[in-house]
Amino acid sequence: MKEMSTSGKIGRWLGYIILLSACRPAEQKELKIPPLPNGEQAVIQTSLAALTDAIEDEPRNGSYYFRRAALYEQAHRYGESLQDINKAIEYRSTNEAYGRYYVLRGRIYLLQNKIDQAYADAVQSEKLGAQSAAAYLLRGQMYAIKGKYTNAMNALKEAKQMTPFDPQVYYWEANASAGLGDTAQAISLFHTTLQTRKDYIQAYNRLTEIYAKQRDFVTAKQYAYAGLKIDSNNVLINNNLGSIYRLSKQTDSAVYCFQRSLKRDTSQHNLNYELGRIFFDKKNYWTATPYFEKLTTQFAKYPDVPELLAVCYDLTGQERGKMESLQAVLAVDSTDKKTILLYEALNRRITYKRRQMVMDSLATKKQQIINIAPVEIRRR
C-alpha cells in the first residue's frame, strides 16, 4: 500500500514549483517544471522522484510525462527525455494546448542532430498554435537550417520580442541574414550575439568562416584564436583554422590543427584525406599511408585514394606484402569492391613500374650500342 496519495504527491512537487519558480520568466515556468537552479542535483533528483511517483499512480497522464521530460532535458539526459515526451504526446489530453509538447521534442531532436524529425515537430507546433519564445526560436532555427531564411527571420523576430536578450535568437538571425546574402547584417548580428554572451563559440566560428570566404585570413584567424581561447579543442574552429593555414601554404600549422580536431572526433574522414594529401604532397609517403588506409570504406567519396595509396605502397616498398594481403581478402570475398579497387590500382602501379624498368633497360642497351666505336675493316 502506498504511503502517500496521488494528490499528496502532486502537492509535494507543486510545493517545489512555488518555492523555486517565483523569479523565473513565464516561458521557463511553462517548459521547466519545476525550474531548477544550476548545479542543484539534489533538487533535480527530488523533483524527478516526485514526478515518477505521480506517474506511477496515473500512468496515462501526458502532463506528468511532459514535465518529467522537461526536467530530463534540463539535466542533459536526452534519451530519457525523448522517451517521456513521446509518452506525453501519446497520452495528451484532447482539450490541452499540447503544441508545446512538439516544441520540447523538436528541441531534443535538434540536440541529437536529427534534423528532419526536429523540423517536422517545429512545423507541427506551428500548426497547433504554439506561440512561446521557445516555439518561435525552434522554428527560426529549423527554417534557417532548411534554407527557408525569410520564414526564419519572421519566426526569430517574434522570439526576440519575447526574449530580447537571448543570444541564440541573434545567432540564428545572423545565420538567416547570411543565407539571404546580407553579409554585413550577419556580421553585425554575430557581434551582438557575442555582446550578449561572450563565450558563444559558434559565433566565433561563423565569423571565422565568413572572413575566410572573403579571403581576409588575418581577420579570420583573429576570430578563430578568440574562439580557441574558450575551447582549444573545438572541432569546427580547428578545421576552419587548418583550412586557412593550408590556403596560406602554412602546412605545418594546418597539420597541427587538423590532427587536434581529428583527435577530438575520429569520424572526420575529410581530415584523414586532408592530412594524407598534405604528407603525400610533401613526399612523406610513410606518414601519408595510414591516413589513406582509413579511407578504404570511402572510395566513392574520395575516388583518387586507391591510386594515391598504391603510389604510397609502391614508393615505400610495401607493394608485395600489400598485394598478398589484398589477394587473401579477395580469396574470401571476391566481390569486395573496396578491395578490388585498391588491388587494381596497386596492380596497375606495379605493372607500370615493371614496364618502365624494361623500357629503361632497353634504352640503356640502345645507348650502349650507339656508343660503340666503329671498327676499321682492312682488306688484305
Side-chain angles (χ1 to χ4, degrees), residues 42-294:
V43 178
I44 292 177
Q45 294 304 321
T46 302
S47 302
L48 285 171
L51 278 168
T52 299
D53 287 346
I55 288 170
E56 286 179 358
D57 288 339
E58 296 185 51
R60 300 182 68 85
N61 188 319
S63 179
Y64 294 163
Y65 284 105
F66 168 72
R67 287 159 171 76
R68 192 171 69 173
L71 278 176
Y72 280 137
E73 183 210 17
Q74 188 172 343
H76 307 293
R77 295 163 64 176
Y78 303 126
E80 292 159 293
S81 182
L82 184 59
Q83 289 178 1
D84 269 8
I85 196 59
N86 284 333
K87 288 287 186 183
I89 292 172
E90 180 182 357
Y91 298 138
R92 65 186 181 272
S93 172
T94 54
N95 61 352
E96 185 179 9
Y98 57 87
R100 57 184 180 160
Y101 289 16
Y102 288 93
V103 174
L104 177 55
R105 190 171 72 173
R107 275 208 313 262
I108 296 167
Y109 278 139
L110 183 56
L111 288 165
Q112 295 178 328
N113 202 34
K114 297 177 180 178
I115 303 302
D116 290 339
Q117 295 95 319
Y119 177 75
D121 278 351
V123 172
Q124 183 65 14
S125 74
E126 188 171 16
K127 290 179 180 178
L128 294 171
Q131 297 180 351
S132 64
Y136 285 119
L137 174 59
L138 176 67
R139 292 200 281 270
Q141 290 172 307
M142 297 316 306
Y143 283 135
I145 291 171
K146 288 291 187 177
K148 299 181 178 182
Y149 302 118
T150 301
N151 291 347
M153 293 293 282
N154 292 335
L156 293 165
K157 181 180 178 181
E158 297 291 339
K160 188 158 54 175
Q161 290 179 352
M162 295 180 178
T163 53
F165 303 108
D166 187 346
Q168 291 187 90
V169 175
Y170 292 104
Y171 174 77
W172 284 101
E173 196 175 11
N175 281 305
S177 294
L180 289 169
D182 193 344
T183 304
Q185 177 69 2
I187 290 173
S188 176
L189 287 165
F190 282 129
H191 285 161
T192 304
T193 303
L194 293 173
Q195 289 171 1
T196 308
R197 201 180 96 190
K198 292 182 179 179
D199 65 343
Y200 206 114
I201 196 165
Q202 294 94 329
Y204 289 109
N205 181 61
R206 290 293 286 120
L207 286 165
T208 300
E209 291 176 344
I210 288 174
Y211 283 107
K213 188 175 182 180
Q214 296 176 344
R215 301 192 73 81
D216 183 354
F217 296 142
V218 173
T219 306
K221 287 177 184 178
Q222 289 175 351
Y223 283 108
Y225 296 149
L228 291 175
K229 286 182 180 179
I230 299 168
D231 179 7
S232 62
N233 293 315
N234 184 272
V235 168
L236 293 176
I237 293 183
N238 274 298
N239 287 358
N240 286 325
L241 188 56
S243 296
I244 291 169
Y245 279 132
R246 188 166 188 198
L247 289 170
S248 304
K249 309 299 182 184
Q250 297 174 277
T251 54
D252 288 344
S253 295
V255 166
Y256 176 76
C257 291
F258 288 149
Q259 286 180 335
R260 184 162 60 179
S261 179
L262 192 58
K263 185 177 181 181
R264 186 78 171 260
D265 181 5
T266 58
S267 66
Q268 298 180 91
H269 301 302
N270 61 308
L271 294 190
N272 283 313
Y273 182 78
E274 290 288 344
L275 287 163
R277 282 308 306 248
I278 288 173
F279 287 115
F280 186 91
D281 293 341
K282 296 174 74 170
K283 303 187 186 306
N284 190 342
Y285 303 112
W286 278 107
T287 306
T289 299
Y291 289 112
F292 289 141
E293 285 180 331
K294 292 174 183 176

Side-chain angles (χ1 to χ4, degrees), residues 328-353:
V329 172
L330 291 173
V332 176
D333 181 5
S334 61
T335 63
D336 188 329
K337 292 183 179 179
K338 64 180 183 180
T339 305
I340 292 171
L341 283 171
L342 186 53
Y343 179 85
E344 289 177 347
L346 187 54
N347 194 43
R348 284 196 304 271
R349 184 71 184 172
I350 293 172
T351 302
Y352 171 79
K353 183 179 178 181

